[in-house]
Amino acid sequence: MTEPSLMTSPTPTASGVALLSAVFPTLADALDYAATGDSGFNYYDGRGSLIAVLPYRELRARALEMARHLAPLGRGQRLALVAHTHPDFAVMFYACQYAGLVPVPLPAAVHLGGREAYSRHLRQLMSDCQAVAAFAPPEFVGFLREASAGLPLTLAGTAEEFLALPAAAVLPVRPLPSELAYLQYTSGSTRFPRGTMITQSAVMANLKAIFNHGFCLTPADRFCSWLPYYHDMGLVGIVLGCVATQRSVDYLPTRDFAMRPRLWLKLMSMNRSTISFSPPFGYTLCARRLRPADTEELDLSAWRVAGIGAEMIHPESLQEFAAAVASAGFDDRAFLPCYGMAECSLAVSFAPLERGAHTDVVDMERLAFDGEAQAVPAGNTAIKGKAFIDCGHPLPGFELEIRDDLGQPLPERRCGRIHLRGTSIMSGYFGNAEASREVLSADGWLDTGDIGYQADGSLYITGRAKDLMIIMGRNMWPQDLEYLAEQQPEVRPTDASAFSIPDEDDEEIAVLVVQCRESEPHKLMKLTERLQQAIHAEFGIHCLIELVPPHTLPRTSSGKLSRSTARKDFLERRSLEVQADPRGGRTADAPRHHPVAERAAS
């Protein structure tokens, strides 16, 4: 067997990227351009070995051939694709572009909830998008067949099986810019995932803005990614973006990154990659797993864009990562915070390049009680401040307004719901007109469901509207409590979930559920006490603390915490406890991993 030959990014002519002159009306046209160069996708395994390459010219040839077999399924029909980090996913996705079908990336994350839950989730998504057929690479085809049993699908199988379908004599006319490019399911952190309908023109406009204005692509840029293909940052920002800009990208499967996060940095170092993105937890995970000896073997000096998005960003976690890899040549000015969502194709705003993660420190009390983001003067220690990350100005093509609960625009430094309008906004949620009307106005404004404020034109995100907790008349964000938990040595990143529940007097009280691998009762009690003290010292509130075993907290397909489900599960556990012991005590056989602390004393 011939060893794979690494794909590298060529040095383009002139400005380098045809996308900058907006000559690509569709994703198929973008691949036509990419196929004229020598770049492509490189696939690595969990040992860091190159196992496959897919040059864009080969991707195009294979996609065109596959498109002939997909075309008879029907123009505009949905084809479900289990989005594992595998060359066949890219082939199937772009075959849909040439055949006029609408690809629907589905999660490839069996470990989230186990086999049964995963199969059930796949089935729900395939039913929701009314798929006519479904694809999975060999590693996942068993799950797909189990999930699709009884559904009216022409085929649920591998790429090889799709090639056995009857082929059209000629390909249909390519999709118009106004037609759908794909359906992108939201993460489902607050509700069942919804399929955002993204047109060809919407995604192409967003890609143009990202690569031209977001981080100003250069001829020398090379990407590296472990992001899942079913997440908007991984699909649009990397898979589609690298094709449209004719750039090579090195892929590490998401699961392998989670198990060995150092591999990400190893690939960055080995291939001199310049651009890579991650949610904040990815940087935190790396920082905590790195040993001093690891950084001695790394050279991260080429890394010029270290993008951060998809979650609330805590400045401290970025500082921890920067300190851990400083000796490897990482420059913290490479940090590039951004804001976006699947409903906007991908990106809405980017912070300025080469400035790092800039923060705005605001009066914590004024923000909590009045919704005013009043800046704390530098050096003023009398006012308790909270730092928020600058996510930059909106990209070209977007209008942005911060609105109050009545829908009226707010001035700068007033916190409210973020509304957007622009060329990259979704057409709506597939098959759900009611949900679409909830967030999309008749004149094209999208209610993002996010809360934030603007200062000097820059956007600052403070949280999700549905996650907001109002404790004793004060606005509080679950991420703040979760971050305090993650600072404890027993708690890993993303292993805490905060929300509020009503007490006996219908007043809201805070709850913090924490996954913990510790089992000794004395140590568990000490952790509970530390958390209570830290929360009371920081916020002056009481909080119920529940310690649970690993893998208890519910997550979305993209790995995000689902606070709404965590809240539901917590209430169900409490209800069972009360039924078992109406006096409020715990049953004799209750797991000792689950101590629920009473309210902390003032």
Side-chain angles (χ1 to χ4, degrees), residues 339 341 344 348 394 397-410 414-422 425 437-454 459-461 464-465:
Y339 169 66
M341 59 197 312
C344 299
V348 172
F398 279 110
E399 298 174 73
L400 185 150
E401 287 185 357
I402 307 294
R403 298 180 182 177
D404 63 18
D405 291 338
L406 298 177
Q408 297 302 307
L410 291 168
R414 293 292 302 183
C415 207
R417 294 177 76 102
I418 300 169
H419 286 69
L420 296 164
R421 182 165 63 180
I425 301 293
R437 285 192 296 269
E438 287 177 5
V439 299
L440 271 177
S441 66
D443 57 351
W445 283 96
L446 172 73
D447 181 350
T448 66
D450 289 324
I451 303 294
Y453 66 92
Q454 284 187 286
L459 178 63
Y460 296 83
I461 312 300
R464 288 285 295 171

Side-chain angles (χ1 to χ4, degrees), residues 259-453:
M259 296 173 65
R260 304 175 190 85
R262 293 187 296 271
L263 275 177
W264 176 33
L265 305 184
K266 178 182 176 182
L267 287 182
M268 294 286 298
S269 174
M270 182 172 67
N271 294 331
R272 302 290 292 167
S273 303
T274 61
I275 299 174
S276 194
F277 275 69
S278 171
F281 83 84
Y283 292 104
T284 302
L285 193 60
C286 275
R288 296 189 179 181
R289 297 275 187 91
L290 280 174
R291 300 182 299 264
D294 295 326
T295 57
E296 293 174 5
E297 302 173 358
L298 298 175
D299 180 2
L300 301 176
S301 59
W303 196 352
R304 76 174 188 90
V305 175
I308 324 137
E311 298 171 358
M312 285 291 294
I313 305 168
H314 289 283
E316 298 86 353
S317 63
L318 302 185
Q319 293 164 5
E320 182 183 7
F321 176 83
V325 294
S327 62
F330 178 78
D331 187 339
D332 64 2
R333 290 176 298 179
F335 283 132
L336 185 66
C338 56
Y339 169 66
M341 59 197 312
E343 286 86 344
C344 299
S345 299
L346 174 60
V348 172
S349 67
F350 280 89
L353 276 170
E354 300 178 353
R355 192 186 65 174
H358 179 75
T359 59
D360 182 40
V361 181
V362 303
D363 186 328
M364 193 171 172
E365 295 300 306
R366 293 286 291 273
L367 184 67
F369 287 104
D370 304 325
E372 183 179 355
Q374 185 179 62
V376 176
N380 189 330
T381 57
I383 299 175
K384 196 167 191 177
K386 178 172 174 55
F388 290 102
I389 293 283
D390 180 355
C391 290
H393 291 220
L395 291 170
F398 279 110
E399 298 174 73
L400 185 150
E401 287 185 357
I402 307 294
R403 298 180 182 177
D404 63 18
D405 291 338
L406 298 177
Q408 297 302 307
L410 291 168
E412 286 213 336
R413 292 201 170 274
R414 293 292 302 183
C415 207
R417 294 177 76 102
I418 300 169
H419 286 69
L420 296 164
R421 182 165 63 180
T423 54
S424 302
I425 301 293
M426 68 172 182
S427 306
Y429 295 118
F430 179 81
N432 198 333
E434 182 180 350
S436 300
R437 285 192 296 269
E438 287 177 5
V439 299
L440 271 177
S441 66
D443 57 351
W445 283 96
L446 172 73
D447 181 350
T448 66
D450 289 324
I451 303 294
Y453 66 92

Side-chain angles (χ1 to χ4, degrees), residues 66 70 73 77-83 88-89 92-93 96 101-107 118-119 122-123 125-127 129-138 140-149 151-163 165:
M66 181 64 74
L70 298 186
L73 294 174
Q77 297 295 330
R78 274 72 54 205
L79 179 62
L81 309 176
V82 175
D88 285 350
F89 170 82
M92 297 298 292
F93 186 95
C96 289
L101 274 77
V102 179
V104 187
L106 303 184
Y118 175 63
S119 293
L122 284 184
R123 188 178 185 86
L125 295 176
M126 286 188 287
S127 297
C129 72
Q130 301 168 27
V132 295
F135 151 84
F140 282 84
V141 74
F143 297 104
L144 179 66
R145 289 186 175 127
E146 179 181 314
S148 61
L151 292 179
L153 302 179
T154 299
L155 172 65
T158 62
E160 187 176 346
E161 291 173 286
F162 272 89
L163 285 173
L165 291 175

Side-chain angles (χ1 to χ4, degrees), residues 24 85 112 254 313 326 397 493 575 587 596:
F24 303 150
T85 309
L112 299 176
T254 305
I313 305 168
S575 176
T587 58
V596 179

Side-chain angles (χ1 to χ4, degrees), residues 518-521 524 547-549 586 588-596:
E518 183 58 67
S519 59
E520 189 177 324
L524 289 170
L547 305 183
V548 298
R586 300 189 62 79
D589 60 347
R592 62 179 179 176
H593 289 72
H594 286 174
V596 179

